[in-house]
Amino acid sequence: MGKKALILIDMINSYEHPDADILIPSVRKALPHIVRLLGRARNKGVPVIYVNDNFGEWRSHHGEIVASAMAGPRVELVRPVQPDGNSLFVVKARHSIFYETPLAYLLSQLDVNHVILCGQVTEQCVLYSALDAHIRHLRVTIPENAVAHIHKDLADAALLMMERNMQATITTAETVEL
């Protein structure tokens, strides 16, 4: 039958990059929805998987990525979504959560056939990850109020592309079925 997994994309972030000032307002808006969705997933025993950029730090592991973000200037955006002891963590180096990561294998081991993608950035990592999930025959749900963007017009177009071209379900965090 398969099951669902909640995937948080690039939410463990120090926000010390060129687009941060444009991105942060959208993250602030999405964060409460992500937090509630994360809490619901944890309460229902749905696997929670963080897939996060390594920011070019090739000797880092998930603990160091979390510690670095928690020591950064935007800890208030990281603390509410910090991984717990049951969370799984995959490190990525490019836009897609699948590109040269063990995520597809992990999902198969968990018998997951439906991914719920939230996090950042809608028009980049979320879009490319949704495409890669689709070509792997995974069902995809995107809660549009639980993803953050840099450019709203591109994010709106990306959501439309995910819905039409990848048969993703576009919904809200509050109506995601876990």
Side-chain angles (χ1 to χ4, degrees):
M1 170 71 186
K3 61 183 179 181
K4 297 177 183 178
L6 177 64
I7 301 179
L8 281 78
I9 302 172
D10 290 336
M11 289 303 295
I12 309 303
N13 195 314
S14 67
Y15 298 95
E16 296 178 295
H17 52 80
D19 294 322
D21 289 339
I22 302 168
L23 174 62
I24 288 171
S26 183
V27 172
R28 287 189 194 286
K29 188 174 178 183
L31 190 60
H33 302 285
I34 295 169
V35 169
R36 283 192 295 276
L37 182 57
L38 178 60
R40 286 179 48 221
R42 287 176 173 160
N43 287 338
K44 288 196 170 241
V46 172
V48 174
I49 306 169
Y50 290 75
V51 184
N52 217 89
D53 199 314
N54 70 355
F55 305 104
E57 297 295 326
W58 293 104
R59 293 188 175 151
S60 63
H61 57 74
H62 75 280
E64 291 169 330
I65 293 169
V66 172
S68 178
M70 292 297 288
R74 299 295 180 188
V75 68
E76 76 279 7
L77 301 178
V78 180
R79 182 174 285 118
V81 293
Q82 189 173 354
D84 67 7
N86 294 318
S87 301
L88 302 168
F89 203 101
V90 174
V91 177
K92 71 179 184 68
R94 300 296 295 166
H95 294 81
S96 172
I97 59 178
F98 291 95
Y99 182 74
E100 304 221 355
T101 74
L103 182 62
Y105 180 75
L106 173 60
L107 294 174
S108 74
Q109 293 300 296
L110 296 172
D111 197 28
V112 167
N113 68 356
H114 186 163
V115 293
I116 302 158
L117 305 179
C118 64
Q120 57 189 323
V121 169
T122 309
E123 66 273 25
Q124 294 174 17
C125 299
V126 176
L127 173 63
Y128 305 137
S129 299
L131 175 59
D132 277 356
H134 174 71
I135 64 173
R136 286 168 172 79
H137 304 285
L138 296 167
R139 290 183 54 211
V140 177
T141 296
I142 312 288
E144 64 185 339
N145 60 348
V147 289
H149 60 269
I150 295 171
H151 303 287
K152 181 157 179 26
D153 59 335
L154 295 178
D156 291 342
L159 288 166
L160 187 59
M161 287 174 55
M162 289 183 269
E163 182 176 46
R164 288 191 185 167
N165 297 349
M166 301 163 214
Q167 291 76 51
T169 299
I170 307 300
T171 188
T172 64
E174 294 71 25
T175 59
V176 166
E177 292 183 28
L178 295 171

